[in-house]
């Protein structure tokens, strides 16, 4: 159950890019008796296809807007049936009205003098409306699946964060290789740990790298969390090594380190708030 109302982001750009043209193509062809080869020779077919894709796009955007508004009031896990009933009534009701309106305007007004036969508006209730409702059902299933995916990803991230927040150990140094010898490196000397390929290195404030046997995952479980933070898959940084933090247009954070690192060091948008809280103590 949701302890707090979860508001998903819906990373759906690729899904929309693929699904909208595909659903538009299906929308145009369901109930079409003519062979595709004949349709391809008819210029009106391409106009019909464009309008079908445009209609699906409009229904999709409106549906997403309504779904996002409902996300602010009704969680799928805590209010499933209430959310389902409200969403179905609103979306299906609006979808039927929009479908009938578009079909009437397009076929009885815009294309009236361009077709060989008169369009029967009753045909909308037999084909267009059921097909539109089918498309809308598919769209809602997409977003329900995305909601569950993002919710459980959020829960997993929060669980990992809670585990990491418990102080695991009081270790004061790590063992690093200096040539063929091993030497203890004090945590106070360490600026950050970073990966190069499959090798884990520790960089001290004197800008010197040493190889260590532990993975970043093992280090994360044993380092004091008030002093070290896992920025991303490639790096764990010391609080004292963070020189500056800049915001990026994508929502990520760009971290400037001292000593400097050879590549851009970023914190994902998902972890940005947590990282700022860590910096703030």
């Amino acid at each position: 159950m949701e302890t707090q109302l979860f508001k998903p982001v819906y990373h759906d750009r690729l899904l929309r890019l693929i699904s909208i043209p595909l659903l538009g193509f299906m929308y145009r062809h369901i109930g079409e008796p003519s062979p595709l080869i004949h349709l391809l020779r008819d210029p009106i077919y391409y106009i019909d296809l464009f309008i079908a894709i445009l209609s699906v796009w409009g229904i999709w955007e409106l549906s997403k807007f309504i779904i996002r508004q409902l996300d602010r009031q009704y969680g799928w896990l805590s209010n499933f049936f209430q959310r389902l009933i409200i969403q179905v009534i609103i979306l299906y009701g609006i979808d039927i009205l929009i479908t009938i309106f578009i079909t009437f305007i397009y076929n009885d007004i815009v294309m009236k003098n361009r077709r060989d036969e008169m369009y029967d508006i009753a045909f909308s209730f037999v084909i267009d409306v059921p097909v539109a409702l089918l498309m809308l059902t598919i769209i809602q299933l997409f977003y329900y699946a995305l909601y569950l995916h993002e919710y459980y990803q959020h829960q997993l991230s929060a669980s990992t964060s809670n585990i990491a927040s418990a102080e695991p150990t009081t270790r004061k140094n790590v063992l690093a290789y200096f040539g063929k010898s091993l030497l203890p490196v004090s945590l106070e000397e360490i600026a950050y740990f970073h990966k190069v390929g499959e090798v884990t290195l520790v960089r001290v404030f004197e800008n010197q790298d040493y190889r260590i046997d532990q993975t970043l995952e093992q280090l994360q479980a044993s380092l004091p969390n008030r002093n070290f933070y896992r920025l991303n898959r490639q790096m764990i940084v010391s609080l004292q090594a963070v020189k500056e933090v800049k915001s990026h247009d994508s929502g990520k954070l760009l971290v400037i380190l001292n000593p400097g690192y050879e590549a851009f060091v970023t914190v994902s948008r998902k972890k940005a708030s947590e990282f700022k809280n860590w910096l703030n103590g």
Side-chain angles (χ1 to χ4, degrees), residues 104-172:
F104 174 75
I105 294 296
Y106 179 63
N107 290 289
D108 275 27
I109 298 178
V110 177
M111 302 299 291
K112 182 176 182 179
N113 298 322
R114 300 189 180 185
R115 299 190 188 276
D116 296 332
E117 300 179 359
M118 292 292 293
Y119 183 82
D120 186 357
I121 192 64
F123 187 74
S124 297
F125 295 94
V126 178
I127 296 294
D128 291 327
V129 170
V131 171
L133 294 179
L134 173 62
M135 302 297 173
L136 184 58
T137 301
I138 294 173
I139 292 171
Q140 291 185 85
L141 289 175
F142 279 153
Y143 280 103
Y144 180 63
L146 285 175
Y147 181 98
L148 293 180
H149 173 73
E150 292 190 20
Y151 174 77
Y152 286 112
Q153 285 288 99
H154 172 77
Q155 291 295 95
L156 179 61
S157 176
S159 175
T160 302
S161 177
N162 290 336
I163 293 173
S165 64
E167 201 65 53
T169 182
T170 57
R171 71 181 299 171
K172 296 181 179 180

Side-chain angles (χ1 to χ4, degrees), residues 57-69:
W57 174 80
I59 292 174
W60 190 299
E61 292 301 313
L62 180 60
S63 300
K64 181 179 179 180
F65 173 78
I66 293 173
I67 288 171
R68 291 179 68 89
Q69 297 306 308

Side-chain angles (χ1 to χ4, degrees), residues 172-241:
K172 296 181 179 180
N173 54 59
V174 295
L175 283 177
Y177 286 94
F178 182 73
K180 295 184 179 180
S181 303
L182 280 170
L183 73 159
V185 180
S186 170
L187 296 186
E188 296 178 356
E189 301 177 59
I190 296 172
Y192 45 85
F193 302 89
H194 61 108
K195 286 182 64 176
V196 177
E198 298 300 319
V199 179
T200 305
L201 301 175
V202 55
R203 182 166 298 182
V204 297
F205 284 103
E206 295 178 354
N207 204 19
Q208 176 69 41
D209 278 348
Y210 300 100
R211 182 174 64 85
I212 59 176
D213 286 334
Q214 291 180 284
T215 66
L216 292 184
E217 287 72 23
Q218 292 169 333
L219 288 166
Q220 184 179 5
S222 62
L223 291 170
N225 295 292
R226 64 178 177 270
N227 298 325
F228 290 89
Y229 185 83
R230 180 74 179 267
L231 293 179
N232 48 47
R233 293 181 180 179
Q234 285 74 40
M235 183 171 290
I236 297 175
V237 66
S238 165
L239 180 62
Q240 303 303 319

Side-chain angles (χ1 to χ4, degrees), residues 1-17:
M1 298 293 289
E2 296 157 301
T3 55
Q4 293 182 345
L5 192 60
F6 174 66
K7 300 174 184 176
V9 177
Y10 294 127
H11 301 287
D12 61 349
R13 181 175 300 177
L14 181 61
L15 175 67
R16 292 159 63 201
L17 187 64

Side-chain angles (χ1 to χ4, degrees), residues 21 24-25 27-29 32 36 38-56 102-103 105-115:
F25 183 83
Y27 192 9
R28 171 59 183 84
H29 281 270
E32 173 59 61
L36 179 61
H38 292 167
L39 294 173
L40 293 175
R41 296 169 182 167
D42 184 1
I44 294 179
Y45 165 74
Y46 297 97
I47 301 176
D48 290 346
L49 185 60
F50 173 76
I51 295 299
I53 294 174
L54 190 64
S55 299
V56 171
I102 292 177
T103 303
I105 294 296
Y106 179 63
N107 290 289
D108 275 27
I109 298 178
V110 177
M111 302 299 291
K112 182 176 182 179
N113 298 322
R114 300 189 180 185
R115 299 190 188 276

